[in-house]
Structures are given as C-alpha cells and as structure tokens.
Amino acid sequence: MIYKVYYQEGITDIPVRENTKTLYLEASSEREVRHYLKDRNYNIELVQLLEGNYLEYEQASPNFRLENA
C-alpha cells in the first residue's frame, strides 16, 4: 500500500499550510509508516492511504518519489 504523509520538518513546528511538506511511502500499514519516520523528528499531521484514482493522480505528479518503509 502507498501512503502520503503530510509533515513539518521540525517536531515543534506548528502546522501551517505553506510550510507543510509531503512524502510518499510504500508500507503495509500506517503504523509501519509512523515507525519508519520516528527517527526523522517530523511533526506528522496526517498519514493518508492512497488508492484508485487518487493514487493515479499523485503518481502523475512530478513530485512523486516513493520511499520503501
């Protein structure tokens, strides 16, 4: 499964739309995604499962770079 993660780079950063970054991870569960990212000290806003048309849309983006957890 592929997940999209919305985050800020600093653990103490306040979520602001203009500062929110995203990354894409292939993992078996949301828990695995969070475990994989725990050492990066990100302030994770949302972990979203991508499926169907939404996944196809994201894959067409030039910013789509998939990491494996």
Side-chain angles (χ1 to χ4, degrees), residues 7-13 34 36-44:
Y7 68 95
Q8 279 75 44
E9 289 186 333
I11 192 74
T12 59
D13 291 351
R34 291 183 180 275
Y36 176 77
L37 296 173
K38 73 178 181 179
D39 294 333
R40 295 194 190 183
N41 291 322
Y42 289 160
N43 180 11
I44 297 174

Side-chain angles (χ1 to χ4, degrees), residues 19-68:
N19 299 333
T20 300
K21 301 188 186 300
T22 59
L23 63 86
Y24 303 90
L25 283 170
E26 185 171 4
S28 60
S29 67
E30 180 179 338
R31 184 178 182 151
E32 184 178 344
V33 169
R34 291 183 180 275
H35 181 72
Y36 176 77
L37 296 173
K38 73 178 181 179
D39 294 333
R40 295 194 190 183
N41 291 322
Y42 289 160
N43 180 11
I44 297 174
E45 283 184 55
L46 177 67
V47 177
Q48 181 179 24
L49 176 63
L50 299 179
E51 297 178 303
N53 292 337
Y54 191 60
L55 175 58
E56 291 175 20
Y57 174 81
E58 292 291 337
Q59 287 174 328
S61 169
N63 298 325
F64 185 83
R65 290 182 186 85
L66 187 62
E67 295 183 37
N68 292 318

